[in-house]
């Protein structure tokens, strides 16, 4: 058993608490990882807020991390002690019908137990002050050591800077893949990206790499426009600058609508606007943002009858074990940006400050 520091969420709506936790050794087909760096994501904040119906407490959150394998359980063959890895919240077992189907990346092998905050055998590897602590998204990267299933880990280039590539565990991969895998953006196309946070910037990067000729960034926070343009946005607009609905503004700006739109916020009203901003006959709108539980989307069916397509994406459609190492390689060869997504680097005990900076849009 390893004793180490972790940021524990004891209950919903309260700040994280830095505690000493005990991390049990990995059982069969499990991997214990020393986490070197972790990022914060709105999904962690969503569960911490208490709005997530799958949220269980006390829990160690975090799902964008990178580290070094400390030990492996019996039967583990794909990684060994000392390997550099990224934990994966969408695993890839290679055996379920989802893994065998090229149309999806949604491996279902450990979905039920992962959603309940436990390892595949139904138990936890974390304890603190004599209490069992739940796992989160199968990763729990807000701990100096964590235990994950062996199908939830990608071995990456040992030379990669872990304080940067941890972002490939969720946000950057999600946005980039939404553009290149889910939408399959084509050269010369016009794109609209709603929400210019980390995921939205990654979508812009993907649209640019795919050869889009016009990329319109949409956000009410104008402080984000300069960064969006650095990533490839050709122009940025705010929905608050016009009395007309934003979809009407976009349809006018683009002679009938955009070829591809992306919702990167998790707001069902914006999801509708993103679809309705698409061009009749061929426009494709991709939902990337995760809306709160119980919310529903609506539009007039005629929007779809007249040739628009509504799609969604999780982790950018990447089959995780196969593709995360390739994304790291693309970053190392400067094909994709990663460093530019990092705005602040804080010590672990300032994790609550990191969340404050995220909520404030900094």
């Amino acid at each position: 058993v390893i004793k180490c520091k972790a940021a524990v969420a004891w209950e919903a709506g309260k700040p994280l608490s830095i505690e000493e936790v005990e991390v049990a050794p990995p059982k069969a087909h499990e991997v214990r990882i020393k986490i070197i760096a972790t990022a914060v994501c709105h999904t962690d904040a969503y569960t911490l807020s208490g709005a997530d119906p799958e949220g269980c407490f006390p829990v160690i959150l975090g799902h964008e991390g990178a580290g070094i394998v400390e030990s492996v359980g019996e039967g583990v063959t794909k990684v060994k002690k000392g390997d550099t890895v990224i934990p994966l919240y969408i695993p890839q077992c290679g055996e379920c019908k989802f893994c065998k189907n090229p149309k999806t990346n949604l491996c279902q092998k450990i979905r039920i137990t992962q959603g309940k905050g436990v390892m595949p055998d139904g138990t936890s590897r974390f304890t603190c002050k004599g209490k069992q602590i739940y796992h989160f998204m199968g990763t729990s990267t807000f701990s100096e050591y964590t235990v994950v299933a062996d199908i939830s880990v990608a071995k990456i280039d040992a030379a990669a800077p872990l304080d940067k590539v941890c972002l490939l565990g969720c946000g950057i991969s999600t946005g980039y893949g939404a553009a290149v895998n889910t939408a399959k953006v084509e050269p010369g196309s016009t794109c609209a990206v709603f929400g210019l946070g980390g995921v939205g910037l990654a979508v812009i990067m993907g649209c640019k790499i795919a050869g889009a000729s016009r990329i319109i960034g949409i956000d009410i926070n104008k402080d984000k426009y300069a960064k969006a343009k650095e990533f490839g946005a050709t122009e940025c607009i705010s929905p608050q600058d016009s009395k007309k609905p934003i979809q009407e503004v976009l349809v006018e700006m683009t002679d009938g609508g955009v070829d591809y739109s992306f919702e990167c916020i998790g707001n069902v009203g914006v999801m509708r606007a993103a679809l309705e901003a698409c061009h009749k006959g061929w426009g494709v709108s991709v939902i990337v943002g995760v809306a709160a539980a119980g919310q529903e989307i609506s539009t007039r069916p005629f929007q779809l009858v007249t040739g628009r397509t509504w799609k969604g994406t999780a982790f950018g459609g990447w089959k995780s074990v196969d593709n995360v190492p390739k994304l790291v390689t693309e970053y190392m060869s400067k094909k994709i940006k990663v460093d530019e997504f990092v705005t602040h680097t804080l010590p672990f005990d300032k994790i609550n400050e990191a969340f404050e900076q995220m909520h404030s849009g900094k």
Side-chain angles (χ1 to χ4, degrees):
V1 175
I2 289 177
K3 289 186 176 179
C4 68
K5 283 197 298 187
V8 177
W10 288 107
E11 55 183 301
K14 294 279 169 71
L16 301 177
S17 176
I18 301 289
E19 307 279 2
E20 183 180 80
V21 298
E22 292 88 43
V23 185
K27 295 187 184 179
H29 295 288
E30 294 177 3
V31 179
R32 186 160 61 180
I33 302 167
K34 180 179 185 180
I35 297 289
I36 305 297
T38 185
V40 297
C41 172
H42 277 283
T43 309
D44 304 307
Y46 170 59
T47 298
L48 184 59
S49 75
D52 180 359
E54 265 197 353
C56 14
F57 296 88
V59 63
I60 294 172
L61 299 169
H63 64 282
E64 290 184 325
I68 311 290
V69 174
E70 178 273 334
S71 58
V72 299
E74 64 176 279
V76 176
T77 55
K78 295 203 172 142
V79 293
K80 62 186 186 302
K81 181 178 177 172
D83 283 349
T84 305
V85 293
I86 289 177
L88 307 166
Y89 70 91
I90 293 184
Q92 186 187 350
C93 71
E95 295 162 3
C96 71
K97 68 179 182 182
F98 289 79
C99 281
K100 287 180 172 169
N101 191 322
K103 294 176 180 174
T104 185
N105 63 330
L106 297 175
C107 173
Q108 296 295 295
K109 180 86 179 250
I110 59 172
R111 177 74 201 99
I112 309 287
T113 49
Q114 182 171 315
K116 289 179 178 164
V118 290
M119 295 298 290
D121 72 346
T123 63
S124 167
R125 299 293 161 268
F126 297 120
T127 48
C128 181
K129 298 177 180 172
K131 288 196 177 110
Q132 174 187 288
I133 308 291
Y134 287 108
H135 294 250
F136 178 67
M137 290 176 75
T139 52
S140 289
T141 59
F142 293 172
S143 175
E144 291 179 323
Y145 287 86
T146 190
V147 179
V148 304
D150 62 353
I151 58 172
S152 303
V153 63
K155 181 182 173 182
I156 62 161
D157 184 341
L162 301 188
D163 60 331
K164 305 293 194 293
V165 296
C166 61
L167 289 166
L168 292 169
C170 177
I172 298 178
S173 305
T174 297
Y176 176 45
V180 299
N181 297 331
T182 309
K184 296 185 168 60
V185 171
E186 294 162 321
S189 55
T190 298
C191 303
V193 181
F194 292 77
L196 301 176
V199 174
L201 294 175
V203 171
I204 289 172
M205 176 176 77
C207 292
K208 185 180 180 183
I209 289 170
S213 59
R214 194 173 177 191
I215 304 168
I216 304 164
I218 300 124
D219 202 300
I220 56 176
N221 181 352
K222 295 185 177 180
D223 294 341
K224 298 192 169 188
Y225 293 178
K227 188 67 118 170
K229 287 177 179 168
E230 267 175 52
F231 277 85
T234 51
E235 61 219 281
C236 294
I237 57 174
S238 167
Q240 296 175 337
D241 285 352
S242 171
K243 291 196 169 71
K244 289 180 186 167
I246 187 68
Q247 53 267 54
E248 286 181 27
V249 174
L250 285 160
V251 166
E252 282 175 16
M253 282 173 68
T254 57
D255 185 29
V258 299
D259 302 311
Y260 301 97
S261 70
F262 302 86
E263 199 280 353
C264 307
I265 302 161
N267 177 312
V268 293
V270 178
M271 291 172 189
R272 177 174 189 159
L275 176 80
E276 295 177 0
C278 282
H279 202 289
K280 184 189 286 189
W282 64 77
V284 174
S285 187
V286 182
I287 294 173
V288 192
V290 178
Q295 296 198 326
E296 297 183 352
I297 47 173
S298 62
T299 189
R300 291 196 176 93
F302 198 66
Q303 292 284 334
L304 302 175
V305 171
T306 51
R308 293 168 194 82
T309 303
W310 222 342
K311 302 178 88 168
T313 187
F315 196 54
W318 301 108
K319 286 195 185 273
S320 57
V321 174
D322 291 345
N323 286 295
V324 167
K326 293 176 185 169
L327 290 166
V328 170
T329 302
E330 284 193 5
Y331 157 63
M332 300 292 276
S333 63
K334 299 202 164 34
K335 186 190 168 186
I336 60 172
K337 297 181 196 289
V338 173
D339 297 12
E340 293 82 354
F341 286 88
V342 180
T343 54
H344 298 75
T345 304
L346 298 163
F348 187 31
D349 56 9
K350 295 268 173 69
I351 190 161
N352 288 307
E353 207 175 291
F355 276 98
E356 285 162 25
Q357 288 178 337
M358 181 176 70
H359 286 306
S360 70
K362 291 178 185 166

